Amino acid sequence: MFSFAFTYTLIFAVNYDVKHKYNMLSKLVSIDNFFKNPQKIVDMAQTLDYERSEVHPGKRSINLFTSQDPQHVEFAKYFAKRIADEVFFGINKFMIDIRFHKNDIYDNDKANVGWIHNDPVSFAGIVYLNQEISDFNLGTSTFLKNKKERFDQYDFDERKEFNLTTNVTPEYLKILEENEKEFTETVRVGNVYNRLVAYDSKIWHRPNNFDTKSENERLTLLFFIDRYEYSQPESMLSLKSEYIDDI
């Protein structure tokens, strides 16, 4: 069985008396020019060590909140607050994991396509950080399953070997192709420098391609959010309607 392990950090912000469930169901949010100085973020990413894992291709840094470098921790706090204030407005206590990610580039181009998956958290997101890239096909896509029933679990041993060793085998390419056949693409978001994309993590999604066509690896900033509390913000719009959207 494939297992996922994240190191979360609890973020406390303003607490409200009334708690609601944040409705991010099946939503995707895209915000361009998210950071004022994205190069500063890229430079920070280059100061970190990266490790491979059996659960994903490429390499990831540690959760920035666990870094011994105060600059990394301060950035993580800043980024988490902006996510709460500008992306998922109304969440006020949550667990978050923030990491940089670098993808390998494979000689076999079929292996440069990501695995369609969803994440075992509430929300997730990504910021694209390759300045030389503006490519519709190097971003992120979302998918719908072609059938309602569960599909067969594929050979996890092949995926683990690929993730840990970057060894591309015929068996891995076969199960990757079978994975893609289970889904239909619904949305494609291009890879644009300093673009943030956030989504309901239960949405099936994938990185569309790892090959940057340059000497630089595909660099991204990832975040995963779970165990949150939410309070409905008061609307600033005085307009009211008696229309009810129901069945």
Side-chain angles (χ1 to χ4, degrees):
M1 183 68 180
F2 234 29
S3 63
F4 292 79
F6 298 110
T7 304
Y8 293 108
T9 298
L10 183 60
I11 300 298
F12 291 93
V14 179
N15 288 314
Y16 297 88
D17 293 333
V18 182
K19 301 292 188 297
H20 302 274
K21 189 74 173 175
Y22 185 76
N23 184 18
M24 189 65 186
L25 183 64
S26 299
K27 291 181 181 178
L28 181 147
V29 177
S30 178
I31 304 174
D32 283 352
N33 301 311
F34 189 76
F35 295 115
K36 291 182 179 179
N37 186 0
Q39 184 57 50
K40 187 176 180 180
I41 314 303
V42 173
D43 292 343
M44 180 187 302
Q46 306 307 339
T47 68
L48 289 156
D49 294 326
Y50 292 76
E51 293 185 356
R52 300 189 185 281
S53 167
E54 65 181 27
V55 302
H56 58 72
K59 306 175 289 289
R60 286 185 187 172
S61 71
I62 60 172
N63 180 0
L64 298 185
F65 277 105
T66 67
S67 173
Q68 298 301 308
D69 187 329
Q71 181 184 21
H72 298 161
V73 177
E74 288 304 311
F75 167 71
K77 290 159 59 177
Y78 163 82
F79 187 44
K81 179 170 173 52
R82 286 199 60 191
I83 291 170
D85 291 347
E86 302 174 32
V87 182
F88 301 128
F89 186 57
I91 62 173
N92 56 78
K93 183 185 292 186
F94 53 94
M95 306 291 285
I96 187 166
D97 185 289
I98 300 172
R99 301 171 189 254
F100 289 102
H101 188 107
K102 294 181 177 180
N103 285 107
D104 300 294
I105 300 174
Y106 306 95
D107 293 335
N108 188 325
D109 198 48
K110 292 181 179 179
N112 285 313
V113 177
W115 193 273
I116 301 172
H117 66 286
N118 54 20
D119 299 312
V121 292
S122 297
F123 317 131
I126 186 171
V127 182
Y128 305 115
L129 291 173
N130 288 89
Q131 189 170 6
E132 74 278 10
I133 293 177
S134 181
D135 193 319
F136 191 60
N137 296 314
L138 291 181
T140 304
S141 282
T142 65
F143 297 82
L144 289 177
K145 289 171 58 178
N146 293 330
K147 300 177 182 178
K148 290 184 178 180
E149 58 267 22
R150 292 175 60 89
F151 50 80
D152 293 335
Q153 297 295 312
Y154 299 113
D155 189 342
F156 290 127
D157 289 335
E158 291 296 331
R159 291 178 62 186
K160 290 179 182 179
E161 180 182 355
F162 174 77
N163 292 340
L164 290 172
T165 69
T166 72
N167 183 29
V168 180
T169 64
E171 291 79 11
Y172 174 78
L173 294 178
K174 180 180 178 181
I175 61 174
L176 181 64
E177 182 180 2
E178 291 299 317
N179 170 256
E180 187 171 21
K181 289 179 180 179
E182 299 283 353
F183 298 90
T184 297
E185 185 178 25
T186 57
V187 174
R188 179 170 293 206
V189 181
N191 185 323
V192 175
Y193 182 54
N194 200 24
R195 169 179 286 172
L196 178 144
V197 181
Y199 43 85
D200 170 7
S201 63
K202 301 304 184 290
I203 297 175
W204 295 96
H205 60 279
R206 77 170 179 198
N208 283 319
N209 204 289
F210 306 137
D211 190 356
T212 62
K213 308 297 182 183
S214 73
E215 61 183 16
N216 297 320
E217 299 167 301
R218 182 180 186 265
L219 176 65
T220 54
L221 176 64
L222 307 179
F223 63 91
F224 304 92
I225 293 177
D226 207 18
R227 305 178 195 176
Y228 65 93
E229 293 183 3
Y230 171 74
S231 295
Q232 179 69 45
E234 184 178 351
S235 175
M236 301 298 292
L237 188 65
S238 60
L239 181 66
K240 296 183 178 179
S241 172
E242 296 182 359
Y243 178 79
I244 301 174
D245 185 17
D246 60 6
I247 298 175

